[in-house]
């Protein structure tokens, strides 16, 4: 069965510094991996996804993520954080062999301090 | 504007009441989903639908019901059998089969509170 872990409940970073939000997964075969962001009292917005090919995926708002198959990780990164990046971030995995289900992590709250 | 709308934004339910949450999309998406979000637990799938007049239970379907009479609409009813319904409910859609690699588009959510 597929699963997702986001080991940090909260990440704090100063504005202008690089940020990393961690995600590890468990799935059979070649899973699809996603990152979403949620602002307070709002729905989730899609940031980026990994399907196949280049391990470094670029997405919206300057975010990128690196897929590492040997470590089963898909960490979200940004070279220079903005205060407006403060939000709740969700990693998600879908196993194409597992049917319809997308499994979401518990979320990591990112605080960017000015 | 294309997107997903959910109404109402806030909903209060008394004990023993059924309530219905609305979800409408104009993205021409085939697949639609309902999730429940509780603090620290991520999103849990309640129901999903691949096509009109077809829907499947997710992980926590007990106490909930849905219908899919139109492609654009996927309402969720929270019945009195759901013992702990206070949560944030999110509706989502995607362009085709749920098992594809396409991302989901989410509505703004409905916050349900039991009085």
């Amino acid at each position: 069965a597929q699963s997702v872990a986001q080991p940090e409940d909260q990440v704090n970073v100063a504005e202008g510094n690089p940020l990393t939000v961690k995600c590890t997964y468990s799935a059979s075969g070649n899973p699809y991996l996603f990152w979403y962001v949620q602002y307070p009292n709002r729905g989730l917005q899609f940031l980026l996804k990994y399907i196949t090919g280049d391990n470094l995926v670029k997405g919206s708002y300057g975010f990128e993520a690196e897929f590492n198959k040997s470590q089963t990780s898909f960490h979200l990164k940004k070279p220079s954080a903005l205060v407006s990046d403060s939000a709740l971030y969700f990693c998600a995995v879908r196993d194409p062999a597992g049917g319809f289900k997308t499994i979401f992590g518990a979320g990591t709250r990112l605080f960017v301090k000015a | 504007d294309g997107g997903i709308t959910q109404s109402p934004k806030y909903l209060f339910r008394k004990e023993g009441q059924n309530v219905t949450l609305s979800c409408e999309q104009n993205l021409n998406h085939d697949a639609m989903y309902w999730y429940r979000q509780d603090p620290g637990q991520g999103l849990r799938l309640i129901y999903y639908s691949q096509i009109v007049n077809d829907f499947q239970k997710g992980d926590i379907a007990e106490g909930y019901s849905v219908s899919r009479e139109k492609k654009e609409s996927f309402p969720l009813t929270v019945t009195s059998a759901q013992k702990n319904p206070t949560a944030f409910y999110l509706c989502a859609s995607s362009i085709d089969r749920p098992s594809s690699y396409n991302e989901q588009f989410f509505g703004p959510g409905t916050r349900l509170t039991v009085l």
Side-chain angles (χ1 to χ4, degrees), chain A residues 32 34 36 38 41-46 49 51 88 90 94-96 99-107, chain B residues 9-10 33 35 37 40-43 45 48 57 59 88 90 98-104 106-108 111:
Chain A
Y32 305 138
F34 305 82
Y36 291 85
Q38 185 181 34
N41 295 312
R42 302 286 298 276
L44 277 66
Q45 296 176 32
F46 168 74
K49 64 185 175 185
I51 303 169
L88 186 58
F90 290 96
R94 181 184 302 153
D95 184 347
F100 66 90
K101 197 179 293 186
T102 298
I103 303 298
F104 288 83
Chain B
K9 187 172 182 179
Y10 299 97
Y33 315 78
Y35 293 93
Q37 184 179 14
Q41 294 194 42
L43 275 66
L45 183 67
Y48 79 103
K57 292 182 179 180
D59 296 319
F88 191 51
L90 288 163
S99 58
S100 77
Y101 54 75
N102 289 298
E103 63 272 19
Q104 295 178 22
F106 285 81
R111 188 165 297 281

